[in-house]
Amino acid sequence: MDKGVVIFAYDNEFSYTTLAEANAKIIKELTGLNVSLVTDTPIDSKYFDNIIITETPGSSVRKDQAVQTSAWKNYNRCDAYTLSPYDRTILVRSEE
């Protein structure tokens, strides 16, 4: 595969995979590029060309503007280009 988009999405209290699916739909409509999801939970979606299952990455505690904390699973994003099935990759992070 020549080029495509990779989205990382790991659910916690928020469903980042739902947000990733909405992003994938828009990306496909606007660009026609293939879209792959990197996650730790298998999902069924017609908007992803590949679903790459990884172990749940380490997490850190993150505060938002409302001073709420949540686990933010983001430590494997540095592996994006290793995990990508594409020769040329656009990386997208699903975040609330």
Side-chain angles (χ1 to χ4, degrees):
M1 293 181 199
D2 184 42
K3 58 186 170 181
V5 177
V6 172
I7 301 176
F8 279 68
Y10 296 95
D11 294 341
N12 56 20
E13 301 86 24
F14 183 80
S15 179
Y16 289 105
T17 53
T18 300
L19 181 59
E21 186 173 31
N23 287 333
K25 179 180 187 265
I26 294 167
I27 290 166
K28 288 180 114 16
E29 288 174 357
L30 294 178
T31 68
L33 292 172
N34 290 324
V35 181
S36 294
L37 174 67
V38 177
T39 188
D40 58 351
T41 306
I43 68 167
D44 183 32
S45 174
K46 65 182 180 180
Y47 299 109
F48 296 112
D49 298 288
N50 300 292
I51 297 178
I52 302 161
I53 304 296
T54 66
E55 291 185 22
T56 304
S59 65
S60 61
V61 176
R62 179 175 169 203
K63 287 187 175 183
D64 63 17
Q65 289 97 4
V67 190
Q68 298 174 346
T69 59
S70 62
W72 194 45
K73 304 172 191 173
N74 194 35
Y75 283 120
N76 69 339
R77 223 176 62 207
C78 61
D79 299 326
Y81 300 108
T82 303
L83 294 169
S84 173
Y86 311 113
D87 296 325
R88 295 172 42 190
T89 301
I90 298 171
L91 174 61
V92 177
R93 176 180 72 190
S94 287
E95 189 174 324
E96 60 181 321

